[in-house]
Amino acid sequence: MSPSILAADFSRLADEVNDVGDAVPWMHVDVMDGHYVPNITLGQPVVASLRAATDHFLDCHLMISDPRTYAPQFVALGAESVTFHPEVDDDPLSIVHALRELGAHVGVALKPKLPLSLVEELLPHVDMLLLMTVEPGFGGQAFIPEVLPKIAAADDWRGAHGADFRIEVDGGITVDTVAGTVRAGADTIVAGSSVFGHQDRRAAVRALVDAAIAVQSSART
Ligand code: DX5
Ligand code: ZN
């Protein structure tokens, strides 16, 4: 579970993150550059401040056109995990290797319409595959169910190749949509509005985790 701070109140970000507290150890940080996506969110200074304000594992999702230049900067500021969209670069594998050499967890992300084949070459080398379940750029959008077969295909690929990367889903995740993604093979859940849109963030996290675990338990029986 990785709550997205995009839905938090940015004027009191440290309080917002600490409000979730140790209910969940990860925090999803959406970086947007106004080029890769039609929106601008936050950059290095905010990640540096967050790093100083929290012990959470910072799961940075870079929706930017130039990850080769900027992704290492987020690692240097203390982000444990950096995920980028690989189709923006001619040689994304070299970015993956460079980030791993810096000691970061590395993820690659796919927009809803992009096929798994685009990242197959990268999958043996990454820690996480992020499958967008909305078009990147904005929080609070509706879940796109057409992505579910791609989640299942990624899970199949992982099993067939003995790989152990996480499958993270991002966008429109609610207590109603989370089940389908977990059933398809997702194991890491990003949620912005479904956490920070609620007064009691810990209860919101618990509700999402419970909905996910219910699927895993029923799959075993
Ligand atoms: C969208 C971002 C998401 C966003 C999810 O481009 O990558 O992480 O914060 O927000 P919700 O959960 O509100 O759809
Ligand atoms: Zn994200």
Side-chain angles (χ1 to χ4, degrees):
M1 173 83 222
S2 194
S4 168
I5 60 165
L6 190 57
D9 177 352
F10 276 29
S11 72
R12 40 185 299 275
L13 206 43
D15 291 344
E16 291 278 67
V17 169
N18 291 324
D19 205 11
V20 175
D22 55 12
V24 52
W26 283 34
M27 207 46 71
H28 186 82
V29 182
D30 287 306
V31 176
M32 304 186 192
D33 66 354
H35 291 276
Y36 182 71
V37 286
N39 197 10
I40 300 174
T41 52
L42 56 89
Q44 296 91 327
V46 176
V47 171
S49 297
L50 268 176
R51 180 68 296 152
T54 174
D55 292 331
H56 281 84
F57 179 101
L58 297 180
D59 167 30
C60 282
H61 177 194
L62 306 183
M63 286 159 276
I64 64 176
S65 305
D66 187 0
R68 180 174 294 281
T69 299
Y70 296 107
Q73 298 182 15
F74 288 91
V75 178
L77 290 169
E80 282 87 355
S81 177
V82 178
T83 295
F84 68 99
H85 289 256
E87 78 277 17
V88 299
D89 195 277
D90 289 339
D91 184 13
L93 186 57
S94 68
I95 300 179
V96 170
H97 287 319
L99 293 171
R100 292 196 87 164
E101 271 168 34
L102 293 174
H105 288 231
V106 183
V108 286
L110 279 180
K111 292 179 182 182
K113 291 196 188 76
L114 293 181
L116 195 61
S117 56
L118 197 93
V119 294
E120 275 180 8
E121 205 185 323
L122 304 174
L123 292 180
H125 308 281
V126 300
D127 301 286
M128 187 154 78
L129 170 65
L130 184 161
L131 295 176
M132 296 289 317
T133 41
V134 298
E135 288 299 333
F138 300 90
Q141 302 180 76
F143 179 80
I144 300 174
E146 287 77 10
V147 180
L148 288 170
K150 186 163 59 177
I151 301 170
D155 189 35
D156 288 347
W157 194 100
R158 182 168 60 174
H161 293 80
D164 64 356
F165 56 84
R166 287 171 175 272
I167 298 177
E168 182 176 65
V169 285
D170 184 8
I173 301 294
T174 65
V175 285
D176 297 319
T177 59
V178 71
T181 68
V182 172
R183 211 172 286 124
D187 48 58
T188 307
I189 309 295
V190 175
S193 317
S194 302
V195 173
F196 290 103
H198 292 272
Q199 201 71 29
D200 186 341
R201 281 69 192 269
R202 289 168 187 252
V205 165
R206 212 173 310 123
L208 286 161
V209 170
D210 284 351
I213 286 174
V215 175
Q216 286 181 325
S217 318
S218 67
R220 272 197 297 274
T221 54

